Amino acid sequence: MSTGRLSAKAAAASSSSRAASQTSRRFPRGRSRPQPAGGRTPSSSARGAWPVWDGVADSAAPAARCVPRPRQAPALLNRSMTKRDDSALFGNRFLTVPAPSETFPEEGMAATDAMRLVDVDLAMEGDPQRNLATFVTTWMEPEAKRLIAENLHRNFIDHAEYPISAEIEQRCVRMLADLFHAPGRTTGCRTQGSSEAIMLGALSLKWKWRERRQAAGLSIDRPNLVFGGDVHVVWEKFCRYFDVEPRIVPLAEDKYTIGPEDVEPHLDENTIGVVAVLGTTFTGHKDDVVGIDELLRDVRKKRDLDIPIHVDGASGAFVWPFLYPDSKWDFQLEQVRSINVSGHKYGLVYPGIGWLVFREEADLAKDLVFYENYLGKTDATFTLNFSTGASMVLAQYYNFVRLGRQGYTYVMKAMQENARTLADNLRNSGRFEVIGSDLEQLPLVAFRLAGKHAYDESDIAWQLSAERGWMVPAYTLPPNAERVKILRALVKETLSREQIDRLTQDIADACRTLDDKGATHSIERTQVKRGTGY
């Protein structure tokens, strides 16, 4: 055999080795390049760069989902092009075919098509930047989003497999207990949001009341819970789901929160607790927690009834410590036994995180804690849900260490400053009355029309949405203030001063349109978006 032939074979082997090395780098973890049937090779792209697999150029297309096309001359390729080739090159089949919606699909589709299908649907939703209705966080830093994305696979409840996630949850609980002035060692947990936290906290109120009654040999037949009409609907859900009598204190046309004089007539030996709201959904104010605490301490002394307070701080418990640090509402008050807060509101985390913190370990009824060992170790669980992602817990901890008291104070004050600017703009326009901006309040503006007009607040909300896409809700207040209709604009971290001025101008423009045309038509009024379940 000649030296030349040996050199040629060595060169070919070297070339083959380099190609195999490149293939292994593009197809990691032992995944080999997909091999076409019958020995055919994938066609090259127009620029001669990466191979084209099923019409999509991809440097590392998974073998199970890719079917290579045979190499063809351009003229032959054009003549033999099918509809499948057209959609792969120029769009996707759901441009002209309805999306699956009623029956489970028989066949799958390319990943790109599936992504486009969902993206096209979502394009019809509202713009989060102009959503001033939601309290929920709509923006996080890129580093936080990366942390979330990289940990979506972690099942938080599996403490044996993911012990560090469990430890980080307890770090957050301890930090919140410190923020809320817990007097000593305490306990708490993450939840899916404040609704789950409220259910768990209220269940503990009921169980602790039942323990006291049984120890005294008294009836446990008729528990009741006292709260104002300014609470979130979840409190009424709790009472209905868990057989507790709701004793709801009505509001009034000039009084949108509750105090001790409202609570006292509803108290008796069957009262499991009193709910005080820190930052109401309706106007952003707080109930008189200090006054209610004084009342309940007096009741305990004179009537021997130990009635605890649960503070619903879903929105406010991440606001008051930074905007109103001298205001007492938390565990500094003796009768406050538990607090819930939403991490996905002013905790500045994306949806799916809430927190429940108890004053002391003894305030959690032990019968509500379950123990299981089928995930690899014995764990205590105090939840309504079970499996859930750990990513939002990690994102909450990221915010705590990223911002600290200094950072949270900066963010809250920036939002408050812009909210006050919007309130001043609306008040100075002469069209609106701003509600309670001189009181301790969430970073929002609650306002209503001043004087008589041919239209009302709902007309403004509709016109503002139709003209500029702003989502500013209009609604009536709870009984007995249902004749009062207001608008409410949440001022978020992402709402700049320039946008505040633009919003002010857009509200004025919407009002001028309504001045000319009058109230919206009854047909427009019926165009209310509802959830798909209704």
Side-chain angles (χ1 to χ4, degrees):
M1 188 175 293
S2 70
T3 304
R5 291 179 63 188
L6 282 172
S7 299
K9 283 192 173 185
S14 176
S15 175
S16 175
S17 175
R18 286 196 301 272
S21 175
Q22 291 170 354
T23 299
S24 67
R25 285 198 297 271
R26 293 204 299 271
F27 296 87
R29 299 185 184 178
R31 180 182 291 170
S32 61
R33 176 187 294 279
Q35 297 298 320
R40 294 176 296 178
T41 59
S43 62
S44 299
S45 66
R47 295 185 179 89
W50 296 109
V52 177
W53 299 88
D54 198 23
V56 179
D58 193 340
S59 63
R65 300 184 185 178
C66 301
V67 179
R69 295 202 311 269
R71 186 185 302 274
Q72 294 178 332
L76 179 59
L77 180 63
N78 289 336
R79 286 197 300 272
S80 64
M81 186 174 287
T82 66
K83 289 184 178 180
R84 179 182 177 90
D85 295 319
D86 288 346
S87 65
L89 284 172
F90 308 120
N92 68 72
R93 57 193 169 108
F94 293 105
L95 291 175
T96 55
V97 178
S101 63
E102 300 295 333
T103 60
F104 200 88
E106 292 294 333
E107 298 178 348
M109 67 182 77
T112 303
D113 282 354
M115 182 183 69
R116 287 173 178 170
L117 171 63
V118 178
D119 279 348
V120 167
D121 269 352
L122 293 178
M124 301 305 295
E125 290 196 322
D127 179 5
Q129 185 70 20
R130 288 179 285 183
N131 183 359
L132 308 187
T134 181
F135 286 85
V136 175
T137 297
T138 56
W139 178 86
M140 291 190 75
E141 291 179 321
E143 293 82 359
K145 290 194 285 189
R146 176 179 172 182
L147 184 67
I148 291 170
E150 290 177 352
N151 290 281
L152 287 171
H153 65 284
R154 296 184 190 276
N155 184 7
F156 171 78
I157 202 67
D158 192 348
H159 295 166
E161 189 72 23
Y162 306 117
I164 305 304
S165 298
E167 163 57 22
I168 287 175
E169 176 216 27
Q170 288 305 302
R171 291 180 194 175
C172 291
V173 169
R174 292 191 292 268
M175 290 177 180
L176 288 171
D178 174 64
L179 188 66
F180 301 158
H181 299 98
R185 185 178 177 85
T186 184
T187 189
C189 63
R190 55 81 43 213
T191 60
Q192 201 64 23
S194 272
S195 290
E196 184 187 3
I198 284 168
M199 294 283 184
L200 292 172
L203 279 171
S204 196
L205 292 180
K206 182 180 179 181
W207 254 246
K208 296 297 289 185
W209 166 83
R210 190 168 67 179
E211 288 175 9
R212 293 192 298 270
R213 299 283 289 176
Q214 288 175 330
L218 300 173
S219 169
I220 57 171
D221 294 338
R222 302 179 63 185
N224 67 73
L225 181 65
V226 179
F227 51 83
D230 56 341
V231 299
H232 191 278
V233 68
V234 66
W235 286 102
E236 295 182 62
K237 287 183 179 180
F238 165 79
C239 290
R240 187 176 300 178
Y241 294 169
F242 295 104
D243 197 23
V244 174
E245 176 196 351
R247 294 190 173 178
I248 304 174
V249 179
L251 306 183
E253 291 194 11
D254 58 348
K255 191 173 187 297
Y256 308 134
T257 57
I258 65 170
E261 67 283 358
D262 307 303
V263 168
E264 186 172 16
H266 300 278
L267 302 176
D268 62 26
E269 67 277 5
N270 291 317
T271 301
I272 67 173
V274 176
V275 179
V277 182
L278 188 73
T280 72
T281 299
F282 302 100
T283 63
H285 299 110
K286 71 179 178 70
D287 291 333
D288 184 0
V289 192
V290 171
I292 295 171
D293 176 74
E294 291 175 354
L295 166 68
L296 295 180
R297 284 190 285 113
D298 189 58
V299 167
R300 185 183 63 188
K301 180 179 179 180
K302 294 180 179 178
R303 300 169 57 183
D304 195 28
L305 295 176
D306 188 9
I307 301 174
I309 297 173
H310 177 97
V311 174
D312 182 355
S315 297
F318 271 122
V319 173
W320 259 257
F322 307 112
L323 290 186
Y324 314 106
D326 297 327
S327 180
K328 292 185 177 181
W329 58 273
D330 56 13
F331 295 129
Q332 294 176 90
L333 304 178
E334 192 173 337
Q335 292 302 113
V336 174
R337 312 304 298 184
S338 52
I339 299 170
N340 69 273
V341 60
S342 293
H344 58 223
K345 292 179 181 170
Y346 291 100
L348 307 179
V349 178
Y350 286 141
I353 186 69
W355 300 95
L356 174 63
V357 182
F358 291 94
R359 180 188 189 90
E360 300 170 356
E361 289 182 326
D363 290 311
L364 169 58
K366 298 304 180 185
D367 286 348
L368 294 175
V369 180
F370 289 81
Y371 296 87
E372 50 76 22
N373 65 356
Y374 46 78
L375 291 178
K377 60 175 288 190
T378 299
D379 272 327
T381 64
F382 175 51
T383 62
L384 294 180
N385 296 305
F386 197 67
S387 291
T388 189
S391 56
M392 296 308 164
V393 174
L394 306 180
Q396 185 73 86
Y397 184 64
Y398 167 90
N399 272 356
F400 286 178
V401 298
R402 164 77 173 95
L403 297 173
R405 291 178 187 264
Q406 179 187 19
Y408 269 103
T409 300
Y410 173 82
V411 172
M412 297 303 157
K413 285 188 173 180
M415 291 190 288
Q416 182 186 56
E417 184 177 341
N418 280 336
R420 287 174 173 171
T421 298
L422 178 59
D424 290 342
N425 292 348
L426 295 171
R427 191 185 295 109
N428 294 337
S429 74
R431 289 182 181 271
F432 298 101
E433 169 194 345
V434 177
I435 298 171
S437 60
D438 57 332
L439 303 173
E440 293 181 3
Q441 188 179 32
L442 297 172
L444 58 78
V445 182
F447 58 105
R448 61 179 176 177
L449 283 165
K452 298 292 184 180
H453 298 269
Y455 51 88
D456 69 5
E457 289 79 6
S458 294
D459 298 316
I460 295 173
W462 194 96
Q463 194 67 38
L464 191 59
S465 176
E467 289 185 1
R468 301 296 294 171
W470 292 106
M471 289 172 272
V472 179
Y475 49 84
T476 56
L477 296 180
N480 292 324
E482 60 265 38
R483 289 189 294 178
V484 178
K485 182 179 284 190
I486 68 173
L487 292 148
R488 187 200 65 216
L490 270 294
V491 177
K492 295 291 195 63
E493 182 180 10
T494 53
L495 202 63
S496 67
R497 182 61 58 85
E498 176 67 22
Q499 290 169 318
I500 290 291
D501 294 337
R502 183 172 290 114
L503 173 62
T504 303
Q505 184 60 51
D506 290 342
I507 292 173
D509 291 343
C511 289
R512 278 191 287 271
T513 300
L514 293 168
D515 287 337
D516 294 336
K517 78 169 190 177
T520 54
H521 192 274
S522 58
I523 294 178
E524 295 173 321
R525 285 292 191 95
T526 62
Q527 294 176 352
V528 178
K529 293 182 180 179
R530 296 186 181 276
T532 55
Y534 293 88

